[in-house]
Amino acid sequence: MTAVTDQDHTGQPDRDAEGSSRTDTATPWDDGLIARRVNGEEQSTATAARGPAPQPVTPLAYDPALRSRLDALRELIGLSRTRLDNGTLAQAGRILDEATARRRLSGQHTVVAIAGATGSGKSQLFNALAGVPISETGVRRPTTAAPIACSWSDGAAPLIERLGIPPRLRRRPLQATADADERLRGLVLVDLPDHDSAAVQHREQVDRVLGLVDAVIWVVDPEKYADAMLHERYLRPMAAHAEVMFVVLNQTDRLPGEAADQVLDDLRRLLDEDGIVLGEYGEPGTTVQGLSALTGDGVGELRESLARFVAERGAPSRRISADVDIAAARLWPVYATRRRTGLSEEAREEFSDRLADAVGATAAGEAAERAWLRNANRACGTPWLRLWRWCQERSEPSTGRVAPRGQPDEEATARQRVEQAVRTVADRACAGLPAPWAQAVREAAVRGSQGLPEALDELAVRAGLPPGRPPRPGWWPVAVLAQVSMTVLQFLGGLWLVAQIAGLMAPNLGVPVLLMAIGIVGGPLIEWSCRMAARGPARRYGLEAERRLREAAAGCGRARVLDPVASELLRYREVREQYGRVAGVGVAGRG
């Protein structure tokens, strides 16, 4: 806040009409002691007649809709602090602070600032509305060096203190003027320095006070009403405050004939291009009118408009609501989206499939199926075939078993598959999200992917093939017994033939040959039948092993990656709902 010395608002010691200096006393702003010039003669008002004790000031009460929006904005900031930088949330935080500060102050007063460029006559208009020459006017520029306030009623001191206006720059209109303008009771009028002043501190004061007042009267003159600085720096950014703005074309007495109407029409056109809604035909919006503060022409109409405006007691709420609108518009890129967001079931399943491929679930299932079939062959195969296989296995040299090749390459490939799966699911989850939330989702996915390949390796060992042999179906004992029977028949037939050859039994080749033929043909037939019958159970066993490994991989991926990503998406949906409340509309693209 700019410090103010013991000089008056013109930067010079306060002097009366005779040129003698007058010491400024730091008396309360509402003590009624001010120096006024009326009709060129100096008149001093004595201490204002003190009436009854001042009534307690009623704090400002926001309507339920505005309270809901402010609560949503507060919740929005709280949910976003760890996701967005402080600069993005700074304006919204200031609006909350100002709304809280304004709510504690008087709701019966309306603070209206008069702003304008150098030479626009705003101080002259300020004096005309107050009915007395309170604010310094003259040819020297800048004339107004510090904000000066004039209040029509008691109880406005905290509001003026909030503006940083010291007691010596606080005024009251003449008692007669105040009584005549009873409808202006509750008005606090503030004369600001020139917004285009050559002094930087003057412009800083204008910007600071404009952020705190409830409404503003922009005073323009026929020469500078189209000034680019005014429109680009103030009017266009404040388009949302149309309902708490007045735009006054001053010095219309300098325009001949219908020139004033033409300038007013052009001024309305420029305001329309700035996006400012004009309050025409009784609609809410900015009031635009022409007047002459010097001659008083049109000042009465402005005073009437101000009286109605102040009597409504709605300017503070409308100002805060407009501030929230501006904050919502600026926060749109970091909260809103026009497309559906979130992870679809298809994306989740694809992620699980990629992890299952990386952990080798399909290969593990095929291995389990082969193990089941080998077990079936061993149990139901002919003894001769089993003996031949045993001998073949024993005959193979130990060096003939080739170790799995490319194991490091396979591990690297599996790791790459895991990383690719994480990147893919993160990209799917980020699709359509605003940049900060997309970044938060990616970071959550990357954090979860750390150690994921190792975790998948561990669960592959735990959830792989169970120890021991695969389970046997109920028909296996019957098949084994039938295979044993075929073997017994072969032995019986062979022994019978040997006995006949040795002469121990009577020659009869038919029966032993038949027995041996039944055993020789039946054994492979039973083995083939068992192999056909084992395909179904073996396939189911392999699929079950693959399913267990897939579920284990999916559970690991869900716990480490999908759940953190879903948590970030849920947080985004929460802040998006709060943003919808702040903006006062629904947000598209619900996920």
Side-chain angles (χ1 to χ4, degrees), residues 121-141:
K122 55 182 179 54
S123 296
Q124 197 173 41
L125 178 61
F126 181 86
N127 294 336
L129 291 173
V132 289
I134 295 177
S135 188
E136 184 77 13
T137 62
V139 178
R140 182 178 57 85
R141 302 290 182 241

Side-chain angles (χ1 to χ4, degrees), residues 51-70:
Q55 298 296 322
V57 176
T58 304
L60 177 63
Y62 295 138
D63 59 86
L66 181 55
R67 286 202 305 270
S68 176
R69 296 181 68 190
L70 291 173

